[in-house]
Amino acid sequence: IALSPNKKFIAIAESGEHPQIQIVDTSTRKRRKVLTVTDLGSDRFVAMSFSADGRHLATQGGAPQWNLLYWNWERSKPLAQVQVTRDQALQASRETGHLVTQVSINPRDPLHIIVSGNGLFRFYRFVDGLLKHIPGGLGKAHTQNFTTHAWITEERIVVATESADLLLVEEGEFRCPLPAAPADNHSILSIVPTSRGFICGGEMGII
């Protein structure tokens, strides 16, 4: 399930032989659109994110193909689609179904997308009708299991790891680990930006 930042729409993904996404208007509680694709390469969607204005939607298909799709959902067809990795080093994660855990759209730039998960943190941009992988992120030096991430500003992203580390990415590049992790050895599962920073939630109910 994904809620648009303007609170106007909810996306509900359904798994099965023909996976689909229903877009529901929160004010009328009526279904606005049903999104389907014939070549998802999976029986489910594992992550979704709306753009800030609620017009665009990024959806991540699951194993075995791990296809990322970018929609103007009112048109009912994806604008672009790309397989998020062909790296053989990630083959085990691809096959076991634990590669991607989150997708998000830049709150100020609806063409800029992040995909993160087990050993994966990548930027994509919708350009000339294609989703293109763009340089940046955490690089090969950081191949941990990234449990969640959040855009704190248009240029700053905080990324959490399974070992409870917090990493700062700024202007597309890794800057530094944050000095005080909120939960010793307890995975951080959620990051919510606020006007003065961000809030983390993790295992054992730690905030």
Side-chain angles (χ1 to χ4, degrees), residues 22-92:
Q22 296 190 37
I23 306 295
V24 178
D25 188 308
T26 58
S27 60
T28 64
R29 300 184 183 180
K30 293 183 178 180
R31 184 172 62 190
R32 288 281 300 271
K33 291 287 182 179
V34 177
L35 309 181
T36 61
V37 60
T38 58
D39 55 348
L40 180 62
S42 178
D43 64 351
R44 68 194 60 221
F45 294 93
V46 297
M48 300 184 291
S49 176
F50 279 98
S51 60
D53 61 7
R55 294 178 57 192
H56 293 90
L57 182 70
T59 63
Q60 177 64 58
Q65 294 299 316
W66 298 102
N67 284 314
L68 172 67
L69 296 94
Y70 184 67
W71 310 73
N72 179 332
W73 60 263
E74 290 185 342
R75 299 182 184 179
S76 300
K77 292 183 179 181
L79 300 175
Q81 177 174 324
V82 67
Q83 189 173 349
V84 297
T85 180
R86 298 180 183 275
D87 190 340
Q88 293 301 312
L90 295 173
Q91 187 64 36

Side-chain angles (χ1 to χ4, degrees), residues 106-109 112 151-157 171:
N106 188 320
R108 296 292 182 87
D109 182 356
H112 192 195
W151 298 86
I152 307 305
T153 67
E154 181 181 358
E155 298 292 345
R156 289 184 175 180
I157 303 116
E171 296 181 346

Side-chain angles (χ1 to χ4, degrees), residues 12 38 62 133 139 142 163 180 191 193 206:
I12 304 171
T38 58
H133 175 221
H142 295 87
S163 56
I191 303 173
I206 294 175

Side-chain angles (χ1 to χ4, degrees), residues 151-195:
W151 298 86
I152 307 305
T153 67
E154 181 181 358
E155 298 292 345
R156 289 184 175 180
I157 303 116
V158 171
V159 187
T161 72
E162 189 175 34
S163 56
D165 294 321
L166 289 173
L167 310 176
L168 177 64
V169 176
E170 190 173 27
E171 296 181 346
E173 300 293 339
F174 171 67
R175 294 303 182 199
C176 62
L178 296 182
D184 293 336
N185 298 319
H186 294 296
S187 295
I188 298 166
L189 305 177
S190 178
I191 303 173
V192 178
T194 69
S195 59

